[in-house]
Amino acid sequence: LTHAPATAAPTTYEAEAAALSGGAAAETDHPGYSGTAYVGGFTDPHKGTAAVTLTVTTPAAGTSTLTLRYANGTGSDKTLSLYVGGSRIRQLLLPATGSWESWTDFTTQVTLPAGSSAVSYRFDTTDSGNVNLDRVMVDAAPASADGAYEAENAALSGGAVVANDHSGFTGAGFVGGYVDGNKGRAATAFTVTSAAAGTATAALRYANGTGVAMTLSLYVGGTKLRQISLRPTANWDTWETVSETVTLVAGSNTIAYRFDSTDSGNVNLDNLVVGAGVGDAPPNALERGFLSGGTSVGTSIAGFTGGGYVTGFTAPGSRVIRTVNVATAGSTALTLRYRNDSGSTKTLSLYVNGIQAGQASLPANSGWTTAQQTAELRSGLNLVGYQYDAGDSGDVALDDLTVGGSTSLAARGATVPYTEYEAEDAGTNGVVLGPDRTYRTVPSESSGRRAVRLDNAGKYLDFLLTEPTNSLVVRYSIPDNAAGTGITAPLGVYVGGAKVKDVTLTSAYSWVYGNYPFPNDPGLGGGHRFYDEARTTLPSYPAGTTLRLQNDTSTPITVDLINAEVVAPAYSMPANSIDVTSYGAVSGSGDDTAAFNSAISAAKAAGRTLWVPSGTFDLTARLNVDNVTVRGAGMWHSTIRGNAGRGGFFAVGGNVQLADFTFAGDVRYRDPDGVVTTDSALEGNFGTGSLIHNVWIEHAKTGIWANSGTDGLYVVGVRIRDTFADGLNLNTFSGDGSPVRNSRVDQSVFRNTGDDAMAMWSFSSSVANCAFTFNTAALPALANTAAIYGGESNRIEDNLLSDTVYTASGITVSTWHSAQPFSGTTAVQRNTITRAGGFNTDWNSSQGGLWVYAEAREITAPVLVKDVDIIDSTYQGILMSWQKTVANITFDHVRIQNTGTYGIDLQVPGSGTFDYVTVTGATSGGLNNTQGFTLTRGPGNSGF
């Protein structure tokens, strides 16, 4: 690691060495003090006289932080008065410390001149005194961020005033006065200069010590954009940032935060940083990563890149994880940009793909600097993270991470190692089906609504490989039998005229019948859910090879698409692992449930990883997991298989890691509501600090069902295919009803799920601060590719979503399913929705490509839909329904192109803002407004 020079430590002034007066005296009868003594005598007989006066020297005029170490064993809060240069600054409230031997710090920011100053702590007649003082440390106050606009320098009105009675602010003060007496009037207006017209991120630094979320209204150029939610901070001395996307003109702009009559106010404002946000941050920026365990994005330290930096490494479990893409496996250079103002070297643990790979030693520095390490990375998607573990010291800020040899991640959707080839683009003598979106037809469930049927022997598809491969995944459909139990058929794989192998296809996991929940009973008629997938390894073939899939039987075979990738060799067992086979598990040889349970208990007790080697292992029941890692040799090498609909992992606590294996379920129908006879692959309360990555899930009830109590779960790089219910659901429907928080689903692929591909469901309490980012979801047989049902400050961003089938939308924001109300800002940004929307035959009504559905409750908390492309919707581009108010919704840079009916269909009362929204190719017209919805039209709109 490179070393940077340390910064000068804060200057320490011992109280016993100061000028003491009025009865203040050096004492030693309570231990734990620094120096040679502490100062007591702040007792009632000395009220109005006792004082400690320090002569403090500062090299330059400016704001300094005074950290007073004191003890207060009275059991109640006490006060002293702070003076600088003989002038009283403020009264200090010093909380009780538990005993006279317990010492704690109290910080205050003051403006000091260059040179010497007299700083006094006095027991005035208005104070309660009765404390002991140990020392005072003097240091420069937190600097303003580059590009920051200090609130105290903004235009203040309506009772907003400059204050400095709470610590931790930047500049010379902060703005208070957002109190109930100033409701409807208080405002802080920043004058911001932008070099060019366009969108930017406004990051407001604030404190909210009320204990509950409060609101203000955001205005740009005198026009209200939306109400913003300001989550509570730990106290009034703790500051956080909230970022909002704004559109600026070139030159001067006004950004104002007002306490409108509809707001709750009661917050303090410190500064505003205008620049690139997290979504627009450079690729190396760590604030784009997954943060949990107490980490957050900060902006108060000057000199960061992008939209901020990662801070909050203050307790074990705090972490940041970034996804990186590497073309070739091997030793890779890592360059970490960080800031350490502590005066001493700090450490964090480096994790690569969930495995601890060393400790980063980060020397103190006088500014942002870098440290270098090397790490062994895989070819393709990798996770690189920094975490505060036991034995680390944390307390640093991380700005960005440069990974040598890395290549760009996909701009939208998941970055995947395979190449996808559509059957209709291949050479064929078969029958091309579609395009057709008619429900219960094969094309309606096909990617792009087209496929190729190989009716009998000799019919083939020729795929020209554009990338090398040694594997094959086929998405196919074959007929069911009369009993609904399925048939099998071989599909021949040929290269250069020679047969390589047969891939065995089955219809046991496809074909359902009738209406919801679509039983496996052919007697109900109406068969659908036609597709399943099969995978196999192959010899290695270079790009330019023609891969032929040929039907060699009389059974008709329909092929939708194939995926081809280079499968890496099996991973080696990591150090400190327990092999499940040493507890009796045997690949391909009966029930391994007991062996897994014994091995999980042993691994957990020893603090070791449970290793699942290459092979196929069978479960007949769920496995309970908490505080344990289960890791395989890779999703193409280690398979854990369910039987008779049962089997999977059930989380009963935190710190669960599941990685590098396939879970192949054996679910063949969907349970009716309220009946549980089949299992989800991964389910339960994942507590804090859990990680699921590089896992392939198929043929389960749901893929991942993370319920109440889950906090800080990261799901990344998973493939979920052919489930009978949701692909993934973050929900408070199951469990004890406690919230799900701070969790994210990232860089994952969902296909042919039996319900929502991805959902957040706030049933008993809110799902809060969760996100679906950089995922690819297609072809849910029922419901949506992505949905948020109620909740607080959740996000759907940077996804590719396509080809919904029945009663479905690409993205749904809804209060349906008994959802809790929305709060905070719900963000839907930088998504592409293609061929989405559906029809509900029970309601005789359609759903749009993007659907805002105010069903059980109104939707009046802010919703931001920005940089979204809605292309080739089956019905409406945007639909808002049904006759309940939707307000505070903003559509910004939304492109609606080619719709089956209306571009925008508004079946609700309420109001919303439309900026740079364009509609083209709307069959029924650009706009249908049936309920008097008020459209506030900004610049750049057309077509409606």
Side-chain angles (χ1 to χ4, degrees):
L1 296 178
T2 58
H3 291 259
T7 58
T11 304
T12 300
Y13 298 86
E14 292 290 344
E16 68 272 17
L20 309 181
S21 58
E27 299 175 354
T28 59
D29 50 333
H30 295 298
Y33 53 82
S34 64
T36 60
Y38 62 86
V39 173
F42 289 92
T43 55
D44 291 340
H46 302 140
K47 189 182 184 79
T49 61
V52 172
T53 301
L54 312 164
T55 300
V56 172
T57 302
T58 49
T63 303
S64 293
T65 297
L66 309 180
T67 303
L68 171 68
R69 189 170 190 257
Y70 75 96
N72 171 10
T74 65
S76 61
D77 296 345
K78 297 296 180 180
T79 62
L80 291 179
S81 291
L82 174 65
Y83 286 72
V84 175
S87 298
R88 187 175 187 267
I89 302 300
R90 67 183 69 99
Q91 187 181 66
L92 308 180
L93 181 67
L94 305 175
T97 58
S99 72
W100 291 109
E101 287 77 33
S102 298
W103 301 85
T104 193
D105 291 335
F106 183 89
T107 58
T108 316
Q109 289 182 346
V110 296
T111 300
L112 299 178
S116 296
S117 304
V119 175
S120 300
Y121 294 88
R122 299 183 184 178
F123 188 1
D124 279 356
T125 56
T126 56
D127 293 322
S128 52
N130 288 278
V131 294
N132 294 331
L133 308 187
D134 181 28
R135 69 184 182 208
V136 177
M137 300 176 70
V138 181
D139 196 8
S144 301
D146 285 354
Y149 299 84
E150 291 293 340
E152 65 272 19
N153 297 327
L156 309 181
S157 59
V161 294
V162 177
N164 57 15
D165 54 327
H166 297 294
S167 62
F169 55 82
T170 62
F174 60 87
V175 171
Y178 285 92
V179 294
D180 291 340
N182 296 325
K183 188 181 185 77
R185 302 185 300 117
T188 301
F190 299 87
T191 299
V192 172
T193 301
S194 178
T199 59
T201 295
L204 177 70
R205 191 169 190 256
Y206 72 94
N208 171 12
T210 66
V212 296
M214 309 301 280
T215 62
L216 291 178
S217 291
L218 171 64
Y219 287 73
V220 175
T223 300
K224 181 176 178 177
L225 291 188
R226 64 190 72 97
Q227 185 182 67
I228 64 171
S229 178
L230 305 171
R231 292 169 60 88
T233 55
N235 52 51
W236 289 108
D237 300 310
T238 302
W239 303 83
E240 293 185 4
T241 58
V242 60
S243 296
E244 297 289 332
T245 300
V246 296
T247 300
L248 304 180
V249 300
S252 182
N253 297 263
T254 300
I255 300 177
Y257 294 86
R258 299 183 182 176
F259 188 0
D260 281 355
S261 58
T262 56
D263 294 321
S264 49
N266 288 277
V267 294
N268 294 330
L269 309 187
D270 183 28
N271 66 42
L272 179 70
V273 178
V274 179
V278 171
D280 301 314
N284 295 337
L286 280 169
E287 68 268 22
R288 293 174 66 115
F290 174 69
L291 281 61
S292 70
T295 52
S296 62
V297 177
T299 57
S300 62
I301 302 175
F304 60 84
T305 59
Y309 54 85
V310 180
T311 185
F313 293 98
T314 57
S318 51
R319 61 179 177 170
V320 58
I321 304 173
R322 223 198 84 194
T323 54
V324 297
N325 193 38
V326 176
T328 305
S331 182
T332 305
L334 308 179
T335 302
L336 177 67
R337 189 171 190 259
Y338 74 96
R339 180 77 175 256
N340 174 7
D341 294 322
S342 69
S344 62
T345 296
K346 298 295 185 181
T347 61
L348 291 172
S349 292
L350 169 67
Y351 280 79
V352 175
N353 295 315
I355 300 173
Q356 190 176 32
Q359 188 180 61
S361 180
L362 306 173
N365 52 68
S366 57
W368 293 99
T369 190
T370 59
Q372 281 76 43
Q373 289 177 284
T374 59
E376 292 294 322
L377 299 187
R378 303 170 177 176
S379 174
L381 190 73
N382 289 263
L383 309 183
V384 180
Y386 293 91
Q387 180 168 307
Y388 188 144
D389 281 346
D392 289 323
S393 49
D395 194 25
V396 293
L398 306 185
D399 186 29
D400 65 35
L401 176 68
T402 301
V403 178
S406 61
T407 58
S408 297
L409 298 165
R412 293 186 182 183
T415 298
V416 296
Y418 56 79
T419 303
E420 191 157 288
Y421 303 86
E422 292 284 350
E424 61 269 22
D425 296 330
T428 186
N429 61 354
V431 179
V432 177
L433 306 178
D436 188 354
R437 303 189 197 185
T438 304
Y439 182 43
R440 300 183 195 264
T441 64
V442 171
S444 74
E445 297 185 18
S446 304
S447 173
R449 314 304 173 123
R450 294 192 297 167
V452 174
R453 189 176 67 240
L454 309 177
D455 283 311
N456 46 44
K459 301 300 183 182
Y460 63 83
L461 284 157
D462 283 343
F463 295 92
L464 179 63
L465 299 180
T466 59
E467 299 290 340
T469 191
N470 61 6
S471 68
L472 173 69
V473 176
V474 183
R475 186 169 195 258
Y476 68 89
S477 177
I478 62 174
D480 202 2
N481 63 5
T485 56
I487 65 170
T488 62
L491 177 64
V493 181
Y494 293 77
V495 173
K499 191 172 192 176
V500 178
K501 65 184 344 181
D502 280 326
V503 179
T504 300
L505 312 181
T506 179
S507 57
Y509 299 102
S510 54
W511 290 93
V512 296
Y513 300 90
N515 296 323
Y516 177 87
F518 311 116
N520 192 25
D521 180 3
L524 297 172
H528 61 111
R529 198 178 186 275
F530 306 103
Y531 281 103
D532 195 13
E533 299 184 16
R535 71 182 190 183
T536 188
T537 56
L538 298 172
S540 295
Y541 296 113
T545 301
T546 296
L547 200 67
R548 172 169 287 192
L549 302 186
Q550 182 170 299
N551 188 353
D552 294 328
T553 74
S554 60
T555 300
I557 299 171
T558 299
V559 177
D560 182 22
L561 55 82
I562 67 169
N563 297 154
E565 67 183 286
V566 175
V567 175
Y571 306 132
S572 300
M573 183 172 70
N576 197 36
S577 296
I578 290 174
D579 191 325
V580 71
T581 62
S582 65
Y583 285 80
V586 178
S587 175
S589 181
D591 186 2
D592 300 303
T593 306
F596 267 86
N597 278 324
S598 296
I600 287 169
S601 296
K604 177 182 173 183
R608 301 171 70 182
T609 293
L610 175 59
W611 172 249
V612 182
S614 295
T616 300
F617 302 91
D618 286 283
L619 301 179
T620 57
R622 296 189 306 191
L623 306 172
N624 287 355
V625 287
D626 71 300
N627 290 288
V628 71
T629 293
V630 179
R631 182 181 295 276
M635 59 170 62
W636 280 88
H637 300 285
S638 299
T639 297
I640 301 171
R641 186 167 59 188
N643 286 269
R646 308 318 294 252
F649 290 88
F650 191 79
V652 293
N655 298 307
V656 172
Q657 184 178 167
L658 304 171
D660 297 334
F661 62 84
T662 286
F663 180 80
D666 186 36
V667 175
R668 304 180 184 215
Y669 59 91
R670 177 168 178 161
D671 287 335
D673 292 344
V675 176
V676 180
T677 61
T678 59
D679 291 331
S680 297
L682 313 178
E683 184 178 354
N685 173 5
F686 286 86
T688 59
S690 291
L691 173 64
I692 300 169
H693 64 106
N694 202 38
V695 174
W696 188 321
I697 297 169
E698 60 185 19
H699 303 153
K701 179 180 180 179
T702 63
I704 300 175
W705 185 269
N707 60 35
S708 295
T710 299
D711 189 343
L713 169 66
Y714 191 31
V715 178
V716 56
V718 304
R719 305 182 195 182
I720 297 180
R721 313 270 174 88
D722 307 308
T723 61
F724 279 83
D726 300 72
L728 176 143
N729 198 313
L730 306 177
N731 71 90
T732 61
F733 179 77
S734 301
D736 62 7
S738 58
V740 173
R741 294 187 175 277
N742 308 314
S743 298
R744 178 171 164 185
V745 181
D746 191 25
Q747 296 291 352
S748 296
V749 179
F750 302 80
R751 190 159 63 207
N752 197 34
T753 58
D755 213 308
D756 291 307
M758 298 176 284
M760 304 178 201
W761 182 16
S762 298
F763 182 78
S764 298
S765 59
S766 285
V767 175
N769 193 34
C770 293
F772 299 147
T773 59
F774 294 100
N775 302 293
T776 299
L779 295 156
L782 169 71
N784 316 284
T785 43
I788 299 177
Y789 301 107
E792 177 186 349
S793 302
N794 296 308
R795 299 179 288 126
I796 300 175
E797 296 178 339
D798 304 290
N799 302 284
L800 293 178
L801 310 167
S802 64
D803 292 314
T804 60
V805 176
Y806 174 66
T807 187
S809 293
I811 293 177
T812 293
V813 176
S814 177
T815 54
W816 197 12
H817 301 306
S818 303
Q820 295 294 311
F822 283 95
S823 61
T825 297
T826 300
V828 176
Q829 300 188 84
R830 300 179 302 277
N831 301 287
T832 299
I833 303 170
T834 307
R835 295 181 301 274
F839 196 88
N840 188 313
T841 54
D842 295 331
W843 302 343
N844 195 34
S845 64
S846 58
Q847 291 87 50
L850 188 149
W851 184 24
V852 180
Y853 182 32
E855 191 260 356
R857 305 175 188 267
E858 297 179 338
I859 300 175
T860 56
V863 176
L864 173 64
V865 180
K866 182 177 183 295
D867 292 328
V868 174
D869 297 319
I870 306 172
I871 301 169
D872 201 14
S873 294
T874 306
Y875 298 97
Q876 307 94 331
I878 294 172
L879 170 66
M880 289 197 281
S881 65
W882 175 245
Q883 299 185 0
K884 284 188 171 63
T885 298
V886 175
N888 276 327
I889 189 167
T890 299
F891 295 92
D892 182 3
H893 286 82
V894 177
R895 177 168 66 104
I896 303 168
Q897 179 179 311
N898 298 336
T899 63
T901 60
Y902 295 102
I904 302 171
D905 190 0
L906 305 178
Q907 300 177 16
V908 293
S911 61
T913 300
F914 292 74
D915 297 335
Y916 299 97
V917 176
T918 61
V919 178
T920 58
T923 302
S924 302
L927 176 66
N928 183 43
N929 188 353
T930 65
Q931 300 291 317
F933 187 90
T934 300
L935 288 80
T936 300
R937 295 175 180 265
N941 297 307
S942 64
F944 68 99

